[in-house]
Amino acid sequence: MIPFSVLDLSPIIEGGDAALALRNTLDLARHAETLGYRRYWVAEHHNMPGIASAATAVVIAHVAGGTSRIRVGSGGIMLPNHAPLTIAEQFGTLASLHPGRIDLGLGRAPGSDQRTMLALRRDPGSADRFPNDVVELQAYFRPAVPGQAVRAVPGEGLDVPIWLLGSSLYSAQLAAMLGLPFAFASHFAPDLMDTAIELYRDRFEPSDARDTPYVMLGVNVFAADTEHAARRLFTSAQQQFMMLRRGQPVRLQPPVDSMDELWSPMEAAGIMRSLSAAVVGDRRMVRDGIARFIEEHRPDELLVAAQIYDHAARRHSFEMVSELQHSPALV
């Protein structure tokens, strides 16, 4: 049996606003805690009208303060957007407020477009410094040594687990070299998933953080009482991907009965390839789909995402998925 966790993009729905999105995020986190999910992660995205978690550390504080047991973290913080010291202080503060419950997942992408990247004061070459920035960030969490000129307060000496996130082989290699747990973004970029997992596990070097490799895989799950209802829920995510690929990001749209009149065949093929690690259907179909995904890719943990327009339907989908954690088919 492997643990299940939640990735919530704090969707801002058409007809709603960020305040509603953040209330729904806390409600879903409390629900996930009751259902037995291991961790609840939110992600850094900027200039995205459909995502409310741009100030990621603030959202983590909101969720951790409203829950009591579930681990809360970032999936992820886009480290090139920030000074490592700033992130050490932010997550040191979170870990001081919520001991033993905070995760720090790190990504290398900008989480935005080029103009937004410049508005964030990001150096275009900052991604090239990612390995050094990760090592610097790790150092801030170690106990301070005599004469240390720059310290993270809060932060130093705190146990804040660092994860590396990625959708390519780059972070897989770096996570293996540094001996860190690795999360692959298979929920939107599955093409290199198996190659990245194999590379990471083959090259993993034990560290103070971990003795053995640990892989978490993202998977979209849209579960409902009937297959038709689940496939209808899925169309909100499909519309979101379609508009993003057109360079026109929008709020999460209501579901539709058919996507045929909304996208071209070429768009449909590309989007469904990106979303090929999605499990959509009724209880039996979701059980079989998740069991097949685990059997094929052998993750140590699943990170479940679901961009569902209706909050009650999203809660119900995560309820249905949580039942599978105790299913003999997944052991």
Side-chain angles (χ1 to χ4, degrees), residues 70-124:
I70 195 168
R71 298 192 65 90
V72 186
S74 59
I77 290 288
M78 300 299 107
L79 188 56
N81 291 343
H82 311 275
L85 177 60
T86 299
I87 299 304
E89 291 170 340
Q90 289 178 1
F91 279 76
T93 301
L94 289 167
S96 297
L97 292 169
H98 308 285
R101 294 183 56 211
I102 301 299
D103 297 326
L104 175 51
L106 301 172
R108 180 171 167 261
S112 61
D113 56 67
Q114 291 292 318
R115 283 186 292 185
T116 306
M117 182 183 77
L118 294 175
L120 288 165
R121 302 295 192 268
R122 175 176 171 173
D123 175 353

Side-chain angles (χ1 to χ4, degrees), residues 6 23 46 62 85 112 154 173 181 193 207 226 260 269 278 325:
V6 176
R23 288 196 299 272
H46 300 282
H62 172 62
L85 177 60
S112 61
Q173 295 179 75
M193 171 172 44
S207 68
T226 67
D260 291 344
Q325 293 185 89

Side-chain angles (χ1 to χ4, degrees), residues 217-263:
L217 297 180
V219 58
N220 290 292
V221 183
F222 297 81
D225 293 329
T226 67
E227 178 183 358
H228 174 75
R231 296 202 176 281
R232 194 169 189 277
L233 294 179
F234 189 30
T235 62
S236 293
Q238 292 170 324
Q239 292 177 75
Q240 190 173 50
F241 266 75
M242 177 184 71
M243 297 307 293
L244 189 60
R245 288 192 169 206
R246 290 178 181 178
Q248 304 168 13
V250 296
R251 295 183 175 190
L252 189 65
Q253 299 296 299
V256 294
D257 290 329
S258 173
M259 289 290 296
D260 291 344
E261 296 182 1
L262 298 180
W263 59 12

Side-chain angles (χ1 to χ4, degrees), residues 42-44 46 53-58 60 73-96 102-110 120 130 132-142 150-156 158-165:
V42 295
E44 178 185 350
H46 300 282
S53 54
T56 314
V58 179
I60 291 170
S74 59
I77 290 288
M78 300 299 107
L79 188 56
N81 291 343
H82 311 275
L85 177 60
T86 299
I87 299 304
E89 291 170 340
Q90 289 178 1
F91 279 76
T93 301
L94 289 167
S96 297
I102 301 299
D103 297 326
L104 175 51
L106 301 172
R108 180 171 167 261
L120 288 165
F130 183 65
N132 291 334
D133 284 350
V134 173
V135 171
E136 180 182 345
L137 179 55
Q138 287 181 299
Y140 286 130
F141 286 125
R142 297 193 184 101
V150 180
R151 298 161 57 182
V153 183
E156 61 185 23
L158 295 182
D159 180 19
V160 180
I162 293 177
W163 294 66
L164 292 192
L165 285 58

Side-chain angles (χ1 to χ4, degrees), residues 17-34:
D17 57 17
L20 175 62
L22 294 170
R23 288 196 299 272
N24 286 344
T25 281
L26 180 56
D27 180 73
L28 184 61
R30 288 170 170 165
H31 195 46
E33 182 172 71
T34 300

